[in-house]
Amino acid sequence: MNFPSKLIEDAVTEISRLPGIGKKTALRLALHLLKQKESVSEDLANAILSLRKQIKYCHTCFNVSDSETCSICRSGRRDRTIICVVEDIPDVLAIENTSQFNGLYHVLGGIISPIQGIGPDDLKIEALISRIAGSEGEEKVSEIILALPATMEGDTTSFFITRRLKEFGVKVSTIARGIPIGGELEYTDEITLGRSILTRVNYSVD
Amino acid sequence: MNFPSKLIEDAVTEISRLPGIGKKTALRLALHLLKQKESVSEDLANAILSLRKQIKYCHTCFNVSDSETCSICRSGRRDRTIICVVEDIPDVLAIENTSQFNGLYHVLGGIISPIQGIGPDDLKIEALISRIAGSEGEEKVSEIILALPATMEGDTTSFFITRRLKEFGVKVSTIARGIPIGGELEYTDEITLGRSILTRVNYSVD
């Protein structure tokens, strides 16, 4: 694509570096910004810069945060004896939005993937171990919920963490896998359906 | 959606103001930027700011440009007697990429749309008229190609411009409408197909 202006070309190049945005979309976004007030572009540029330069990661759970300890780890209303282990930050947001979990989190920053060259040492697994080992009294961690992807890599990571946690006698659970709510059996893939039969749960009507 | 950080929230708000980008995509882009080097965010922010602050519009054809006259209007190798009238800047890029047109352009900056409250005075139509009226000698404009959308608004604009141009005795043409190259008759809408029969062209085999 030839551009009539170096400024447009530069903007398109930079915007199209973002994942899922091609040259055509980038051009559309650039031309959109040109039609808006100058403050729109300024606010966007400043938000991107501040985000990248000022963001902090919680020293305890490695979630993004505006301070050294995130609002979840700081909160007095969360159950400090349960830790939910997730792959990355969006998973924390997704679980928070369900309002079904009131414990703390631990963000691994990825999952074990030999193909991508990610081993246990590249993740925050040791930090999780010391977090559990270091907890005591009323705040002693009693349960770890593994909320990792239902893939080979996710299962490997769950397996690795579970084995490392054996000596601490902490309860380890994993989120339920099965047919999604509202899902039709007929359209569910065989592996999910098969596993949901194997891992069936008791059902009682009082 | 609740965000663990004000910085993330601000970035998501600003990014999701862009057309076609929702909160979830904006969050994905923000988290992507966090994983990249700081220079990626800096380059992106700077490109957006420079684009908006330094862009100029060609005084002749109103295309975007880095200087007061765009590279197309400045070029000595373009045919200055033909002007292609388009709705907006992306149309110039699209026609340029075909390499089938060697004349100049005129960007209207929109089309006449009573519903959106856009009248002839909101567009660069008078500038087009004075451009044609002002041309003389070897550079006298002899043909105007209307390359406007095949919609009611596009047709209205074409009609308006054609009537305004009557007194100048300049040839007015419009780009061909019909079945796209490679298109199947069976899947073409009735209006396009009907019109392509009415506006059939001579076909000869030598």
Side-chain angles (χ1 to χ4, degrees):
Chain A
M1 222 190 270
N2 288 314
F3 295 99
S5 146
K6 184 79 176 49
L7 292 165
I8 293 245
E9 189 171 352
D10 288 350
V12 167
T13 308
E14 293 303 331
I15 296 173
S16 63
R17 278 193 220 282
L18 293 170
I21 295 188
K23 293 254 170 192
K24 283 216 169 181
T25 306
L27 177 64
R28 196 164 55 82
L29 298 180
L31 293 173
H32 167 84
L33 285 174
L34 278 181
K35 291 206 170 178
Q36 307 296 310
K37 282 193 222 136
E38 201 168 305
S39 63
V40 174
S41 297
E42 276 170 0
D43 291 348
L44 174 60
N46 290 337
I48 289 170
L49 279 181
S50 316
L51 172 69
R52 189 61 187 77
K53 283 173 191 267
Q54 294 170 26
I55 199 79
K56 293 193 177 67
Y57 292 88
C58 175
H59 283 198
T60 312
C61 71
F62 305 98
N63 189 10
V64 284
S65 166
D66 291 339
S67 54
E68 309 244 303
T69 307
C70 76
S71 52
I72 296 174
C73 286
R74 243 188 355 242
S75 166
R77 282 190 295 186
R78 313 279 308 205
D79 182 349
R80 314 186 82 79
T81 62
I82 306 185
I83 295 178
C84 178
V85 177
V86 295
E87 179 184 359
D88 224 330
I89 295 149
D91 306 327
V92 176
L93 289 174
I95 296 175
E96 279 298 284
N97 282 330
T98 67
S99 307
Q100 297 294 321
F101 178 68
N102 193 37
L104 304 182
Y105 291 93
H106 192 88
V107 179
L108 292 179
I111 43 177
I112 297 172
S113 166
I115 292 172
Q116 290 177 49
I118 304 173
D121 296 340
D122 301 315
L123 309 173
K124 304 293 184 191
I125 294 178
E126 282 315 306
L128 174 67
I129 307 297
S130 15
R131 214 176 142 183
I132 293 160
S135 70
E136 48 186 29
E138 272 191 10
E139 297 197 349
K140 186 158 175 59
V141 176
S142 60
E143 181 174 357
I144 297 290
I145 303 176
L146 297 169
L148 298 173
T151 58
M152 184 113 80
E153 288 84 4
D155 287 346
T156 307
T157 314
S158 293
F159 179 75
F160 184 89
I161 293 176
T162 310
R163 225 177 36 181
R164 284 290 278 113
L165 288 178
K166 229 168 194 174
E167 55 180 299
F168 299 101
V170 61
K171 183 181 164 196
V172 179
S173 60
T174 173
I175 53 171
R177 313 289 184 193
I179 318 290
I181 311 298
E184 301 267 6
L185 289 206
E186 178 177 3
Y187 301 119
T188 308
D189 66 289
E190 297 94 31
I191 295 173
T192 304
L193 188 55
R195 209 165 143 176
S196 79
I197 292 169
L198 289 178
T199 59
R200 64 194 176 275
V201 293
N202 287 328
Y203 182 73
S204 65
V205 181
D206 289 320
Chain B
M1 221 190 270
N2 288 315
F3 294 99
S5 146
K6 182 82 175 49
L7 291 165
I8 291 246
E9 188 171 353
D10 288 349
V12 167
T13 307
E14 293 301 331
I15 296 173
S16 63
R17 278 192 221 283
L18 293 170
I21 296 187
K23 294 254 171 193
K24 282 216 170 180
T25 306
L27 177 64
R28 195 163 54 84
L29 298 181
L31 293 172
H32 167 84
L33 285 174
L34 279 180
K35 289 206 169 176
Q36 306 297 309
K37 280 191 222 140
E38 203 168 304
S39 64
V40 174
S41 297
E42 277 171 359
D43 291 347
L44 175 61
N46 289 337
I48 289 170
L49 279 181
S50 317
L51 173 70
R52 188 62 188 78
K53 283 175 193 266
Q54 294 169 25
I55 199 81
K56 291 193 178 66
Y57 292 90
C58 175
H59 283 199
T60 311
C61 72
F62 305 99
N63 189 10
V64 284
S65 166
D66 292 340
S67 54
E68 309 243 305
T69 307
C70 76
S71 52
I72 295 174
C73 287
R74 242 186 358 240
S75 166
R77 284 190 293 187
R78 313 278 309 203
D79 182 350
R80 312 185 84 79
T81 63
I82 306 184
I83 295 178
C84 179
V85 178
V86 295
E87 179 183 359
D88 225 332
I89 295 148
D91 306 328
V92 175
L93 289 174
I95 296 176
E96 279 298 284
N97 283 331
T98 67
S99 308
Q100 296 294 321
F101 179 66
N102 192 37
L104 304 181
Y105 291 93
H106 191 88
V107 179
L108 293 178
I111 44 176
I112 297 171
S113 166
I115 292 172
Q116 291 177 46
I118 304 173
D121 297 341
D122 301 314
L123 309 174
K124 303 293 184 191
I125 294 178
E126 282 315 307
L128 174 67
I129 307 296
S130 17
R131 214 175 141 185
I132 293 159
S135 69
E136 47 186 32
E138 272 192 9
E139 298 199 347
K140 187 160 176 58
V141 176
S142 60
E143 182 173 356
I144 297 290
I145 303 176
L146 298 169
L148 297 173
T151 59
M152 183 111 82
E153 289 82 6
D155 287 345
T156 307
T157 313
S158 294
F159 179 75
F160 183 88
I161 293 176
T162 310
R163 226 174 40 179
R164 285 288 279 112
L165 288 178
K166 229 170 196 173
E167 54 179 299
F168 298 101
V170 63
K171 184 180 163 194
V172 180
S173 60
T174 174
I175 51 170
R177 314 287 185 198
I179 318 290
I181 311 296
E184 300 267 6
L185 290 205
E186 174 177 9
Y187 301 119
T188 308
D189 65 291
E190 296 96 27
I191 296 174
T192 303
L193 189 54
R195 213 167 142 176
S196 79
I197 292 168
L198 290 176
T199 59
R200 63 194 175 277
V201 293
N202 287 327
Y203 182 72
S204 65
V205 181
D206 289 321

